Amino acid sequence: MSELEGVAGAEPVVIDTMIAGALISRRALAAKYDVHLAGRPLVVSFITVAELRFGALKAGWGATRIESLESRLSAMTVVPSDSDLADAYAELRLACHRAGHGLQQKNHEADRWIAATAVRFGLPLVSDDSIFDNVPGLVNIRIPS
């Protein structure tokens, strides 16, 4: 659990790319989940960082907006890929395959890494994406629309 050493206080939560992006861009979606996020350390997967950086590059963000993105990301705990996370990912994908869950599908590669991060550390995931509903071994916090 070395990646999360120093994360103290309230129980941390893993947030997916949608929630992280909403927090960074101050979109209304973030306010919807404030009750589950306020005062809690925020944890993101390495893949969330990659997805957010890709989105910024694709949108042609300038230096100021990218600097703001990096500043907000630095306030979160980023979990890098390692052997233990790769094991958690493989086990999660197999569990989803056996359960016939949609998260097993190839187009959910990034989502699986995010879910595996939460499962690996035994943390809840805060997401507005229904793909995380009923994932074996995952505690998903989602407020239905």
Side-chain angles (χ1 to χ4, degrees):
M1 197 140 148
S2 61
E3 293 91 347
L4 297 183
E5 285 178 10
V7 175
E11 180 187 33
V13 292
V14 175
I15 58 174
D16 74 346
T17 306
M18 187 183 305
I19 298 295
L23 287 169
I24 289 166
S25 300
R26 296 185 173 104
R27 291 192 310 264
L29 177 62
K32 177 179 174 182
Y33 286 92
D34 191 54
V35 67
H36 298 291
L37 302 174
R40 297 175 83 171
L42 303 178
V43 177
V44 293
S45 169
F46 70 94
I47 201 75
T48 293
V49 174
E51 288 185 308
L52 291 171
R53 288 177 178 164
F54 168 73
L57 291 171
K58 183 178 176 188
W61 285 12
T64 302
R65 284 186 78 188
I66 289 177
E67 186 176 304
S68 177
L69 168 66
E70 294 302 326
S71 175
R72 290 175 179 274
L73 286 171
S74 72
M76 301 174 190
T77 300
V78 179
V79 176
S81 176
D82 64 14
S83 184
D84 291 334
L85 184 59
D87 287 345
Y89 170 96
E91 291 167 8
L92 177 67
R93 188 168 188 185
L94 179 60
C96 288
H97 173 75
R98 287 180 174 159
H101 193 283
L103 193 64
Q104 71 174 311
Q105 297 170 353
K106 187 174 178 107
N107 63 322
H108 291 293
E109 185 77 19
D111 294 329
R112 274 193 306 277
W113 281 111
I114 293 165
T117 299
V119 170
R120 156 102 169 69
F121 292 102
L123 297 174
L125 171 67
V126 178
S127 172
D128 201 53
D129 190 339
S130 64
I131 193 63
F132 296 112
D133 292 348
N134 305 309
V135 169
L138 178 68
V139 174
N140 181 40
I141 299 171
R142 183 173 74 89
I143 301 170
S145 298

